[in-house]
Amino acid sequence: MSLGGKLENARKFHNKLSDLDTQQQRLSGGLDMVRKTQSLQSSLRMLDMAIDERDYDQASLYAQRALSIPHSIINSEFADTVIPSTHHPEPPLQRLDNSLDTLNEIFIKHFNDASANLNQMEISRFFKLFPKINKKLDGITVYSNFVVSLIQRKFKGSLESLSSVRILLDHLANVIEDHQPVVSKYYGEEYMYTVLQTLLKELDEKADIIFKNWSSGIVDIDTSDFKSTNAIISQITSLSSHWSAFKLFILSNLGTEDKYKQLLHSSRTSALLNQYLNENYISLEMNYFKNSLRKAIEVDETDEDSTPYTSSVLDDAFYVYKIILDRLVGCGNISILKNALGSITDLFETVLIDNLQSEFAKAIKPRTSKMISQQAKTNYNTYNTYNHKSKIVRVSACLNNLDLCSEYNIRILSNLMNERTLQRSYEDVDMAFVRDTLSGLKRMSDTAQSCLANCVDIFFTSTFKSNIKEILKTAINVTNYDKSVDHQSTLFVVIFEREWSQLFDEWATGLTTNNFDEVFVKAVTNLIQLWENIVFNSRFSGSGAIQFEKDVHGLLSLLNGMSTVGIRESFSRIRQISSVLNETSDENSSHYWKLSNSEIQTLQSMKLSNVF
């Protein structure tokens, strides 16, 4: 046989096999349809019998069996032909739907009856039956109504106080925590959305009544009444904090999907809370803050037995400031936080910082150069008098309060922006924005530091500048650098130390370290400038130049030990001046980088070569 003939026979054989396979598949499919149709017919018959016998557990099993049969078979012409009977002439699909609807009505009735009687066994039984008859939505609806009834039974709160809304939120959270595992197991996690919907509806109905009753009681509030104002503010912020915590609880337990966020955001409770936060809370809080600051200023007292000197206004003001920020941040409302912070900063600056600056101006007094000169003379020569001591206390307290304002504010903000603190009120995605918003409060520290810098300048000018000039003259008069002198003498440093200490010691303990160091650096800078001016108008013998260099090093050592800040750099020019005065004529002075060539030449010309 040729190769072509063999191929033709193989093709015919393959075709016959394919036909046999097709026939077998058709036969198998037909038999499967017959079996499943018989199973459907049996399930429907047993389902009807179980319903008639009120055996609802068995009925749900037969319903499950019927529902497991493909819809294509239930709705097929074959099933429509063989299953209908005289008693049930309707198509199988319609018959199944009717039976399921009948069961569903029965389950709903029995579930509601069990709920009314708090029959836990029956509640659990019928709760589990709804999914078996493909009626999860109806089951979860009656179940949701049941958990609402549980809350209604538990709720004993007054409809006049916002604390009742907090109680409701706690009940809702407890119900969700207790019932979520059961719902997830028998219905699926997504069905907690329906439960939450029903719970929020109940919450909204109660919140609507409570807010109306509550708001009617705050219409005519006297904002000067600290106790009443604080109570109202505490109620609304406490509720806002609870609502924020509740939202975070829902999102962490049920899911962060947009549908949950939208459900919470669109609730009546959320709308009412935002309304009263915007319309009442911010204005009340700002009035409370302003009045508290004014009260703190009014009762301000300075403790003269504790150094460095500060007054009570600082602790009182920051105590209220921290309470307000804790409440504001605890609200968990980004919009409210953003709207309120600018007002807090403005009030702090215009009421407290401006007052501290004003009190300093009153304490420091002199306004004209003549008054400054007279006061400087009095301060320099008169000690241990009551008025002088009182001034030291008052001025120190004002400066120290301004200095500590910045420190206190930064410390409070640091604690407030702690991640663990913010996580109690905000979602992770909002953390960066909240921190950035809160950081705007650092402006208060900058303002306080700027005011402090101005006050320190005035303080230095009025209290130290003229005195430093007198001290330097008194000390320098003991040595004539243009004559032969004993370059081992320490008289300059001894006299300077006595006069300088007399001026600074009384302020050293009264001022904060920062303030004292700031004044001290200014004093040293001013001293060096004065000293340089004197040097450039003097003549130096050989031994006088040696003594001058010794006095420079002695004074540097003395002043360096009186302050925590380094002042060596301030002495760099005067030290180079003393070196130039002591170098021989053939030495190269180009390495004195702090001095210009003309200054070096001037200094060299000031040396008296004939007098050692």
Side-chain angles (χ1 to χ4, degrees):
M1 184 181 290
S2 66
L3 180 61
K6 291 180 179 179
L7 289 173
E8 179 63 23
N9 289 336
R11 185 182 64 77
K12 290 178 179 179
F13 181 73
H14 179 267
N15 289 339
K16 288 181 179 180
L17 286 176
S18 296
D19 290 341
L20 288 172
D21 286 341
T22 301
Q23 291 176 14
Q24 188 174 5
Q25 289 174 1
R26 287 175 180 171
L27 179 61
S28 177
L31 291 173
D32 183 63
M33 174 175 281
V34 171
R35 285 194 299 271
K36 288 180 178 177
T37 302
Q38 288 176 337
S39 177
L40 174 62
Q41 187 177 34
S42 173
S43 298
L44 290 174
R45 185 176 65 254
M46 298 301 290
L47 174 57
D48 290 337
M49 289 175 60
I51 292 174
D52 290 340
E53 295 172 1
R54 299 181 182 180
D55 189 349
Y56 303 124
D57 294 286
Q58 283 298 317
S60 66
L61 292 177
Y62 293 129
Q64 265 188 312
R65 186 187 298 174
L67 288 167
S68 69
I69 295 171
H71 189 271
S72 59
I73 291 177
I74 298 174
N75 206 32
S76 68
E77 291 184 12
F78 180 71
D80 286 349
T81 301
V82 301
I83 292 179
S85 63
T86 305
H87 295 294
H88 296 286
E90 68 272 17
L93 181 60
Q94 183 181 343
R95 180 180 173 183
L96 176 59
D97 287 342
N98 290 341
S99 296
L100 293 177
D101 288 341
T102 299
L103 268 183
N104 191 43
E105 290 176 6
I106 293 170
F107 289 177
I108 290 174
K109 181 181 183 306
H110 280 272
F111 186 93
N112 287 336
D113 289 344
S115 298
N117 298 319
L118 290 181
N119 187 332
Q120 293 293 341
M121 186 176 295
E122 288 293 282
I123 290 171
S124 177
R125 175 192 174 198
F126 284 98
F127 171 76
K128 297 173 184 177
L129 292 180
F130 284 103
K132 293 180 179 180
I133 64 171
N134 206 23
K135 297 292 183 180
K136 287 184 177 181
L137 184 58
D138 293 294
I140 205 67
T141 300
V142 294
Y143 181 77
S144 300
N145 293 332
F146 161 64
V147 295
V148 165
S149 71
L150 291 179
I151 292 174
Q152 290 172 339
R153 285 188 178 97
K154 282 185 177 181
F155 179 67
K156 304 297 181 184
S158 164
L159 295 181
E160 309 289 330
S161 171
L162 293 186
S163 61
S164 296
V165 183
R166 298 204 312 270
I167 294 171
L168 275 170
L169 287 173
D170 290 340
H171 285 328
L172 263 60
N174 289 333
V175 164
I176 290 170
E177 188 172 38
D178 292 341
H179 293 260
Q180 181 188 5
V182 179
V183 173
S184 298
K185 180 178 180 179
Y186 293 100
Y187 285 72
E189 293 182 2
E190 67 274 14
Y191 280 88
M192 278 304 297
Y193 179 84
T194 304
V195 177
L196 179 62
Q197 252 183 332
T198 309
L199 292 173
L200 288 178
K201 183 181 178 182
E202 172 65 16
L203 173 68
D204 289 345
E205 289 175 359
K206 290 285 193 303
D208 209 9
I209 299 170
I210 292 170
F211 267 104
K212 285 178 182 176
N213 292 336
W214 177 80
S215 61
S216 64
I218 66 169
V219 174
D220 299 320
I221 184 174
D222 180 6
T223 55
S224 63
D225 184 344
F226 284 85
K227 188 175 180 180
S228 298
T229 303
N230 189 53
I232 290 172
I233 292 171
S234 296
Q235 287 177 32
I236 189 73
T237 54
S238 179
L239 175 56
S240 183
S241 178
H242 251 66
W243 175 249
S244 175
F246 178 76
K247 288 193 297 181
L248 292 177
F249 168 80
I250 294 299
L251 297 178
S252 64
N253 283 271
L254 302 187
T256 57
E257 294 92 336
D258 287 342
K259 65 177 182 179
Y260 286 111
K261 293 181 180 180
Q262 182 58 32
L263 182 60
L264 292 164
H265 178 72
S266 61
S267 71
R268 175 65 174 161
T269 303
S270 178
L272 287 168
L273 188 55
N274 282 326
Q275 175 188 336
Y276 285 101
L277 283 171
N278 279 295
E279 293 179 1
N280 299 93
Y281 164 62
I282 293 180
S283 59
L284 285 174
E285 189 76 282
M286 294 309 104
N287 273 318
Y288 178 77
F289 187 38
K290 178 172 65 177
N291 291 336
S292 296
L293 289 177
R294 287 176 175 172
K295 185 65 176 178
I297 291 169
E298 182 184 329
V299 299
D300 187 27
E301 291 182 352
T302 303
D303 183 3
E304 298 186 16
D305 296 324
S306 178
T307 55
Y309 300 120
T310 55
S311 65
S312 61
V313 69
L314 203 63
D315 286 339
D316 292 345
F318 275 97
Y319 175 77
V320 177
Y321 174 68
K322 186 178 185 304
I323 287 176
I324 289 172
L325 286 186
D326 285 341
R327 287 197 292 220
L328 185 61
V329 172
C331 282
N333 190 311
I334 292 177
S335 175
I336 296 299
L337 180 68
K338 187 177 179 180
N339 291 341
L341 289 187
S343 298
I344 289 176
T345 304
D346 291 342
L347 282 173
F348 208 99
E349 292 177 350
T350 57
V351 178
L352 180 65
I353 295 179
D354 283 0
N355 173 263
L356 294 176
Q357 199 170 15
S358 175
E359 288 300 308
F360 169 79
K362 293 176 185 176
I364 205 71
K365 284 292 189 205
R367 291 283 180 257
T368 65
S369 57
K370 182 177 180 181
M371 292 172 68
I372 291 174
S373 177
Q374 290 176 342
Q375 176 180 288
K377 185 175 180 181
T378 301
N379 287 348
Y380 186 59
N381 295 302
T382 307
Y383 294 93
N384 299 321
T385 65
Y386 174 80
N387 288 337
H388 186 67
K389 171 67 175 178
S390 176
K391 177 182 177 179
I392 291 174
V393 172
R394 290 172 61 205
V395 171
S396 296
C398 291
L399 293 174
N400 295 342
N401 284 343
L402 282 170
D403 179 34
L404 293 174
C405 263
S406 177
E407 180 186 331
Y408 285 7
N409 184 45
I410 296 300
R411 190 187 306 163
I412 288 173
L413 291 182
S414 177
N415 293 332
L416 203 60
M417 289 191 280
N418 180 276
E419 184 173 353
R420 186 171 296 179
T421 301
L422 296 181
Q423 281 178 338
R424 292 196 289 264
S425 304
Y426 301 92
E427 293 183 64
D428 290 341
V429 294
D430 296 325
M431 292 288 193
F433 180 82
V434 172
R435 284 199 188 92
D436 186 58
T437 302
L438 287 172
S439 66
L441 290 170
K442 292 179 180 177
R443 190 188 89 184
M444 290 176 3
S445 295
D446 297 336
T447 302
Q449 287 296 311
S450 177
C451 290
L452 175 62
N454 291 334
C455 290
V456 168
D457 283 341
I458 295 170
F459 172 55
F460 173 75
T461 301
S462 64
T463 308
F464 295 93
K465 197 168 185 178
S466 298
N467 288 333
I468 291 170
K469 186 174 183 180
E470 294 299 320
I471 290 171
L472 183 60
K473 284 182 179 179
T474 301
I476 213 167
N477 283 341
V478 303
T479 302
N480 294 320
Y481 294 119
D482 59 341
K483 302 190 183 311
S484 178
V485 297
D486 179 6
H487 56 264
Q488 298 300 318
S489 171
T490 60
L491 195 56
F492 173 85
V493 176
V494 169
I495 293 176
F496 184 91
E497 179 181 11
R498 183 191 68 197
E499 301 295 324
W500 184 274
S501 296
Q502 192 176 33
L503 176 62
F504 277 89
D505 282 355
E506 60 188 0
W507 296 99
T509 56
L511 293 170
T512 60
T513 300
N514 287 339
N515 281 336
F516 182 78
D517 287 346
E518 185 68 24
V519 172
F520 197 85
V521 168
K522 286 181 177 294
V524 170
T525 302
N526 181 249
L527 168 69
I528 299 301
Q529 291 172 348
L530 292 171
W531 205 1
E532 283 187 25
N533 290 336
I534 292 174
V535 168
F536 276 101
N537 288 283
S538 302
R539 305 281 284 174
F540 291 85
S541 66
S543 60
I546 295 173
Q547 180 62 47
F548 174 68
E549 185 171 40
K550 184 176 182 299
D551 291 342
V552 169
H553 285 282
L555 206 55
L556 171 59
S557 178
L558 170 68
L559 295 176
N560 205 40
M562 289 184 173
S563 175
T564 59
V565 292
I567 58 169
R568 189 169 295 275
E569 178 63 23
S570 301
F571 271 76
S572 57
R573 268 181 58 87
I574 200 78
R575 290 173 67 191
Q576 289 187 18
I577 289 172
S578 70
S579 296
V580 171
L581 290 172
N582 280 282
E583 69 180 5
T584 58
S585 58
D586 58 348
E587 289 183 77
N588 185 0
S589 57
S590 60
H591 58 280
Y592 297 120
W593 68 94
K594 290 286 184 178
L595 303 173
S596 66
N597 288 332
S598 61
E599 287 176 324
I600 292 172
Q601 291 173 1
T602 300
L603 290 168
Q604 289 173 338
S605 69
M606 290 162 51
K607 294 186 288 185
L608 302 171
S609 57
N610 295 329
V611 181
F612 191 86

